[in-house]
Amino acid sequence: MIRLLTTTACAVLALSGPALANKVFVSNEKGNTISVIDTADWSVLTEFHGGNRPRGITISPDGKLLYVCASDDDLVRVFDTETYEELYTLPSGPDPELFVLHPSGNPLYIANEDDNLVTVVDTETHTVLAEVPVGVEPEGMAVSPRADFVVNTSETTNMAHFISTADYDIKHNVLVDQRPRYATYTSDGTRLYVSSEIGGTVSVIDIAEDGTPTMKQKLTFEVPGVLPEWLQPVGVKVTQDGSRVFVALGPANRVAVIDGESLEVLDYIIVGQRVWQMAFTPDEKYLITTNGNSNDVTVIDVAAEKPLQSIQVGQMPWGVAVTPN
């Protein structure tokens, strides 16, 4: 496990450019708290109550609102990103786990694991716009850059469901490997990546102009000395230019680095224990991972593809989000 590294590494952080003005919010699933980290010096600013079993976490496009899936409260809690005050709650079905905002900031699409629904909530009126029946145990959520489709992955049905945002009907279903956990589009919307935790793969799905998906291939992972069953893909992040794909490999304690063109696995970055979710800083200089079993986050230098330091947070960190510039 990587801890605070050498003086040289710290100097690199200090000299790599002007101080950033972003905050990192980390949901601590077992601690029921949200940790706040300043990216200027990677110090922990504070920790505040985030509801019962906070998991999915995201931030409004203007950076003012923090949305948290309070899974055991069966609702979404909304906080002020400056004062950390809870402003209000949004309705949700049972056990919200992950969600995604429309690029405009409204509506919010929520995966409700316990009732096999995607709930669509208006973030301004705080009302439910639609409930979309999907597969068993929905979790992963992704919205296309054009916002014409929202994708949900169902863990037990092993599918990615493509829901039209115009009428909330499922237009396409793509079978993936066992227990899909996360989905994300490339910035140009031409590709979707879906991680399958138990299947040990990441499905690469090409997206046509009209949104029709086609399975391209499935990525697999192999690390010397690591048991295959420990290679459990969860979080996936793609750089804006699509050149690099990063995959969190759970109990393997590594993040895989993939070439976005050739789809070859280039390297594995050692991070904390049971790496779960990830988030870029807005300039993509850093990638932050949540490490559930070591109760810390790891800061990765994206250009160097190396870990810089780990930061202790709350108990069992799960989700992570970074304020925009």
Side-chain angles (χ1 to χ4, degrees):
M1 180 174 61
I2 305 297
R3 286 294 170 201
L4 284 175
L5 297 183
T6 64
T7 303
T8 301
C10 294
V12 169
L13 280 174
L15 298 175
S16 57
L20 303 174
N22 303 105
K23 293 179 181 178
V24 180
F25 291 87
V26 178
S27 59
N28 301 303
E29 179 181 11
K30 195 168 182 180
N32 297 332
T33 61
I34 308 297
S35 296
V36 187
I37 299 168
D38 186 344
T39 62
D41 58 6
W42 303 109
S43 62
V44 176
L45 297 174
T46 191
E47 187 174 296
F48 61 91
H49 184 67
N52 291 308
R53 201 183 181 195
R55 290 191 284 177
I57 187 168
T58 194
I59 295 172
S60 60
D62 62 8
K64 294 180 179 180
L65 300 175
L66 174 73
Y67 297 88
V68 177
C69 281
S71 297
D72 285 354
D73 295 331
D74 297 335
L75 49 77
V76 173
R77 298 189 181 276
V78 184
F79 300 88
D80 186 300
T81 56
E82 288 296 324
T83 66
Y84 317 125
E85 175 188 1
E86 183 174 322
L87 303 176
Y88 50 85
T89 63
L90 295 176
S92 168
D95 194 14
E97 186 161 354
L98 272 172
F99 48 19
V100 66
L101 274 169
H102 186 282
S104 68
N106 191 28
L108 181 67
Y109 306 97
I110 309 166
N112 294 119
E113 189 171 27
D114 284 355
D115 64 358
N116 308 330
L117 291 176
V118 168
T119 303
V120 185
V121 175
D122 189 305
T123 58
E124 295 178 357
T125 65
H126 306 176
T127 57
V128 174
L129 300 176
E131 292 182 329
V132 185
V134 290
V136 180
E137 290 189 282
E139 177 165 353
M141 298 295 301
V143 63
S144 64
R146 296 190 307 186
D148 51 348
F149 282 95
V150 61
V151 173
N152 166 252
T153 64
S154 53
E155 292 182 52
T156 301
T157 309
N158 300 332
M159 280 188 175
H161 310 286
F162 289 73
I163 304 165
S164 168
T165 57
D167 56 15
Y168 303 125
D169 282 343
I170 295 176
K171 304 300 183 184
H172 311 283
N173 293 297
V174 176
L175 185 67
V176 294
D177 284 334
Q178 193 175 359
R179 203 176 187 191
R181 302 302 299 263
Y182 197 84
T184 190
Y185 279 90
T186 53
S187 62
D188 62 5
T190 61
R191 180 167 288 173
L192 180 80
Y193 293 94
V194 177
S195 65
S196 295
E197 182 180 21
I198 302 303
T201 65
V202 171
S203 295
V204 183
I205 300 170
D206 283 343
I207 309 297
E209 180 65 25
D210 64 357
T212 301
T214 303
M215 180 69 72
K216 179 178 176 64
Q217 71 181 79
K218 294 178 181 179
L219 307 179
T220 59
F221 307 92
E222 184 177 349
V223 180
V226 176
L227 295 174
E229 57 266 32
W230 290 358
L231 297 165
Q232 299 177 9
V234 186
V236 182
K237 289 297 175 183
V238 186
T239 55
Q240 278 291 114
D241 63 6
S243 65
R244 288 291 183 271
V245 183
F246 296 89
V247 180
L249 294 177
N253 306 337
R254 286 164 172 81
V255 171
V257 183
I258 298 161
D259 186 299
E261 289 291 328
S262 68
L263 298 177
E264 295 179 8
V265 179
L266 303 176
D267 202 358
Y268 297 95
I269 303 170
I270 298 177
V271 292
Q273 297 175 16
R274 205 172 197 276
V275 55
W276 198 251
Q277 300 291 350
M278 302 180 291
F280 286 114
T281 54
D283 57 10
E284 293 189 349
K285 288 179 68 175
Y286 305 107
L287 178 68
I288 299 101
T289 75
T290 57
N291 311 315
N293 284 354
S294 50
N295 297 331
D296 60 8
V297 303
T298 300
V299 181
I300 293 172
D301 183 311
V302 173
E305 297 173 1
K306 300 292 183 184
L308 290 176
Q309 70 180 103
S310 289
I311 304 160
Q312 287 295 131
V313 288
Q315 193 171 9
M316 200 173 288
W318 198 98
V320 57
V322 184
T323 53
N325 284 330

